[in-house]
Amino acid sequence: MNYEETVAYLYNQMPAYQRVGQSAYKEGLDNSLALDAHFGYPHRSYRTIHVAGTNGKGSTSHLLAAVLNKAGYKVGLYTSPHLIDFRERIRVNGEMIDQQFVVDFVKNHREAFEPIMPSFFELTMEMAFLYFKHMELDVAIIETGLGGRLDSTNIILPNLSIITNIGFDHIQYLGNTLPKIAAEKAGIIKPDTPVVIGEAGNEEVRAVFAAKAEEENASIVFAEETMDNFTSEITPDGWILNNDSYQNLRSELGGWVQNKNARTVLTAIHELMKMDYKIPNQAVYEGFANVVELTGLMGRWQTLQENPKVVCDTGHNEHGVRYIVEQLGMESYETLHIVFGVANDKDASSILSMLPKDAVYYFTQASIERALDVKILAQTALQYGLKGNKYNTVELALKAAKENANKNDFIFIGGSSFVVADALTLTINSEA
């Protein structure tokens, strides 16, 4: 098989949650442990940092990877989902995994892993672990897929655990209250291993994390409480962050929510430096200022064009969309146009209820099986006073928005990572 055939095999032989949702989800660690044993526990050959949370774990992982890269470390990054290319999930110092390694992994190990019947996520995770060993890493940043306690990645023994925040998402798997969801995320807290909490949110959630940390004899740091004098402001050069350790720190990532991710990362850096990680101030400044170039991060309040300004963001649940709405309120425009679609396993009503009513909507659906039918989306939106036309593809919706917008308008694309992925694919193809 060539590379394209190999990726098709991975998708079809082990259906991906990204594409089909619940039917691809496998709870528990048995498959991961079996795969890991077969491959000789490759993640034990380098240091790891584990990142979980409802939102922001991808941005947090990429920011931390950029800083560690500039500090001179060879850094692996395992994240999901990908937006355009499968290989986005597995990077070393920003470079995607080599196509031939993907092909050889399947070719050489297929007979061993097929009897285990791993999920797509379990298998690609182990591929990442093996690739990172092959590349002789110093440290790998490993993002959970879903939850924490029973997530496939929870077989690693990290130097540091990070939990970004807690919100309502994947409640069919993680629970229908914030403390229940927090308990699942807290499952990544390991014995005698420090943990950083980005946002506790409320006292009940904070108590869950504190209790788990005490049980595991793990030191716990709440970024909201320990980051001294943290401030942020938007300037013509982007967001400028300040605290007692870093003055005039420019962040390349746009969007209000990134300030919270930045605070989490800065707290994590402080903890890593206690463990003899060497991270000079200049690495922090360069990592924050160049995270997109250093890691390939896409889809986080990303500007696709100017006049009219077109921005996309992968925020896809109530917690994430709340920050998007705040950010939209900080933008200047004559008319707001929103290209919007959601996945069929999300709480569309909660998301739609938060959106601005004075925008022009272009309801659509992404090119995956998990996309909510656009007719259902538009009908639900009417209940919240949101009006617009329906488009069967993101391409048609975005084309209509651009045709209707003048140069002083603003076009936002979001609601789902998959809507953003379709939009980014169109943008890249148009530039090719």
Side-chain angles (χ1 to χ4, degrees), residues 25 148 209 231 401:
Y25 177 64
F209 291 139
T231 62

Side-chain angles (χ1 to χ4, degrees), residues 22-52:
Q22 187 168 355
S23 63
Y25 177 64
K26 292 189 177 183
E27 185 177 273
L29 302 179
D30 290 349
N31 283 351
S32 295
L33 291 168
L35 282 171
D36 205 40
H38 170 75
F39 287 105
Y41 313 102
H43 57 86
R44 297 181 185 177
S45 65
Y46 42 85
R47 292 187 283 187
T48 56
I49 297 167
H50 208 186
V51 184

Side-chain angles (χ1 to χ4, degrees), residues 150-163:
L150 297 176
D151 186 76
S152 304
T153 63
N154 204 28
I155 61 174
I156 65 174
L157 298 173
N159 295 147
L160 178 70
S161 301
I162 301 171
I163 302 174

Side-chain angles (χ1 to χ4, degrees), residues 204-224:
E204 285 185 298
V205 168
R206 190 187 192 286
V208 169
F209 291 139
K212 179 62 175 176
E214 183 177 5
E215 176 186 330
E216 300 292 350
N217 193 38
S219 63
I220 185 168
V221 178
F222 293 89
E224 293 171 299

